[in-house]
Structures are given as structure tokens and as C-alpha cells.
Amino acid sequence: QVQLVESGGGSVQAGGSLRLSCAASGLTDYTHLGWFRQASGKEREAISCINKADSRSWTNAAKNGRFAISIDNAKTRLFLQMNSLKPEDSGVYFCAASWRVRPQCDEYQYGAWAQGIQVTVQS
């Protein structure tokens, strides 16, 4: 059974940091993992995605330098380190898995999703 479970969300003051974690189980042969965010009243957007095989990653330009994606050696836990957080970073963050060869960070190429975790950045 495919399962993605997030942790590490919560509320933080602007300028602070959070580290999101996503535990993956039941996944076989997935190729990429990614983080996506949905702010209230807005469409979901890609934050950062990583290739399981070589750990190459892509990060939304608006988050570059502040957010960093990583994966553990066992390839079962995904992380998103978020620094210098801003109120506009608030939203529900989702981790997701893809089995596509080149999904990029296109949410429609990701077939398994976690339930989402709230991140609130207070000004």
C-alpha cells in the first residue's frame, strides 16, 4: 500500500525556519518525489522536486536560496528545509511521488499524494 506521511509543519514567525519531512512506504520503482504547495484560494504550485536515482533537483525560482529539498540514503524519507520564511510561504504543503521518466515538477505527473500539512508564517 502506497503511503506518504508528512510531518514538521506548523506556525512560525516570519524569518524563521521549518523542516518538512515526508515518510514514504509501499512505493516501488518511483522515480521522483516532490513538494507542492496550495495557498488558500489559489491553485497548487510546485515547490521542489528530486530525482530518486541521482538526487538532481529542481526548485521554484521564487524559493531558490531559501528552500532546499533532500532525500535520505534509504530513499524513503523526503525533506524540505525552509529558511527565511515569509507570510506568502503559508499554505498546505504536499509531498508526492511520480513513476514517470521525466515528470519534471509537473503535479499532473505525480500519482501518489500525501494528505497535506499546514504551514503558517506569521508576520
Side-chain angles (χ1 to χ4, degrees):
Q1 179 183 357
V2 173
Q3 192 171 23
L4 296 166
V5 180
E6 299 144 329
S7 60
S11 182
V12 65
Q13 292 290 323
S17 297
L18 282 175
R19 190 189 195 205
L20 301 183
S21 177
C22 176
S25 60
L27 295 176
T28 57
D29 300 325
Y30 78 89
T31 60
H32 292 72
L33 291 175
W35 289 102
F36 299 81
R37 181 184 74 102
Q38 187 162 24
S40 180
K42 296 187 178 181
E43 294 185 355
R44 190 158 53 193
E45 65 170 343
I47 298 299
S48 190
C49 296
I50 190 166
N51 184 310
K52 171 190 175 183
D54 57 19
S55 294
R56 286 188 300 174
S57 65
W58 172 91
T59 299
N60 187 315
K63 315 297 183 186
N64 250 327
R66 298 192 299 120
F67 288 17
I69 192 171
S70 61
I71 190 169
D72 70 349
N73 290 335
K75 311 294 185 181
T76 60
R77 190 170 289 270
L78 180 71
F79 303 98
L80 183 67
Q81 179 67 43
M82 304 186 292
N83 299 324
S84 302
L85 283 162
K86 305 175 182 180
E88 53 263 42
D89 295 321
S90 297
V92 179
Y93 283 72
F94 299 86
C95 72
S98 176
W99 284 261
R100 299 298 183 103
V101 175
R102 296 183 184 86
Q104 308 301 327
C105 216
D106 177 355
E107 64 174 288
Y108 297 104
Q109 305 301 320
Y110 285 72
W113 290 82
Q115 77 282 1
I117 193 165
Q118 179 70 45
V119 170
T120 301
V121 184
Q122 299 174 339
S123 58

